[in-house]
Amino acid sequence: PDKAENGEPYQRRRAAGPPLPEGPPAFPAPRDGAPAAGSSSWRRIMLMILAITIHNIPEGLAVGVGFGAVGKSASATFQSARNLAIGIGIQNFPEGLAVSLPLRGAGFSTWKAFWYGQLSGMVEPLAGALGAFAVALAEPLLPYALGFAAGAMVYVVMDDIIPEAQTSGNGKLASWTSILGFVVMMSLDVGLG
């Protein structure tokens, strides 16, 4: 069976316009093995890095507001802010991998891919400091910012990651690890309050 029916190659076959070339692009690859800037693979990698980086800004704001609001509201406690930071910190590990692994697979060196993964998360502590200092402004905007961040990640997952997992034959693994991640985060939510 053609596993590409669920993924991007199938969507491209159905689209109007000239067919895409079957082979690799005609231009040479860069020296470190990274994909060329115009390739479809590079576009998907950059879209995912951008979405994860943008997604980290409201997460940092959430943690900053959580700690900045301690003592200013009866419901804001250090324990709830700490639990929020732990939950967001745990889910930042797979986000860093989601940046680093595609870069490594595209030909970047291990250290370069690792540092780009780290850089995508560096916006979070900066946004956290901003959130802690601007609690009065950030608190009413936080639900909208978190909704935007969640929407960006859902879009990337639905548009790129799930079809890519299906076309490469890793659909079941992707489904089971998604379920495992959901169970872990829900357990933390219930267990830590």
Side-chain angles (χ1 to χ4, degrees), residues 24-45:
F27 39 85
R31 294 169 98 180
D32 65 354
S39 72
S40 170
S41 174
W42 183 248
R43 185 191 145 289
R44 279 197 315 266
I45 291 170

Side-chain angles (χ1 to χ4, degrees), residues 9-184:
Y10 178 72
Q11 292 169 355
R12 285 187 181 162
R13 266 189 274 132
R14 293 175 44 126
L20 294 173
E22 293 295 325
F27 39 85
R31 294 169 98 180
D32 65 354
S39 72
S40 170
S41 174
W42 183 248
R43 185 191 145 289
R44 279 197 315 266
I45 291 170
M46 291 308 296
L47 178 65
M48 185 164 43
I49 291 171
L50 181 64
I52 289 173
T53 303
I54 291 171
H55 162 86
N56 283 335
I57 294 170
E59 284 182 355
L61 283 172
V63 173
V65 167
F67 281 105
V70 172
K72 296 181 179 167
S73 168
S75 63
T77 64
F78 177 78
Q79 289 78 15
S80 63
R82 180 200 61 206
N83 294 343
L84 176 65
I86 290 171
I88 288 178
I90 288 172
Q91 62 95 38
N92 280 343
F93 285 104
E95 283 180 2
L97 284 173
V99 170
S100 298
L101 291 178
L103 290 174
R104 179 66 185 121
F108 281 80
S109 71
T110 303
W111 285 109
K112 202 180 244 189
F114 172 78
W115 285 113
Y116 280 124
Q118 296 299 306
L119 286 174
S120 74
M122 284 290 104
V123 297
E124 201 162 309
L126 298 174
L130 176 67
F133 290 121
V135 171
L137 173 66
E139 200 167 10
L141 297 176
L142 189 60
Y144 304 104
L146 287 174
F148 175 77
M153 287 309 296
V154 167
Y155 173 78
V156 169
V157 167
M158 299 299 262
D159 189 55
D160 281 328
I161 296 175
I162 290 175
E164 185 73 22
Q166 296 298 324
T167 59
S168 65
N170 294 322
K172 287 208 183 288
L173 177 64
S175 297
W176 282 109
T177 54
S178 297
I179 291 169
L180 177 65
F182 179 79
V183 168
V184 167

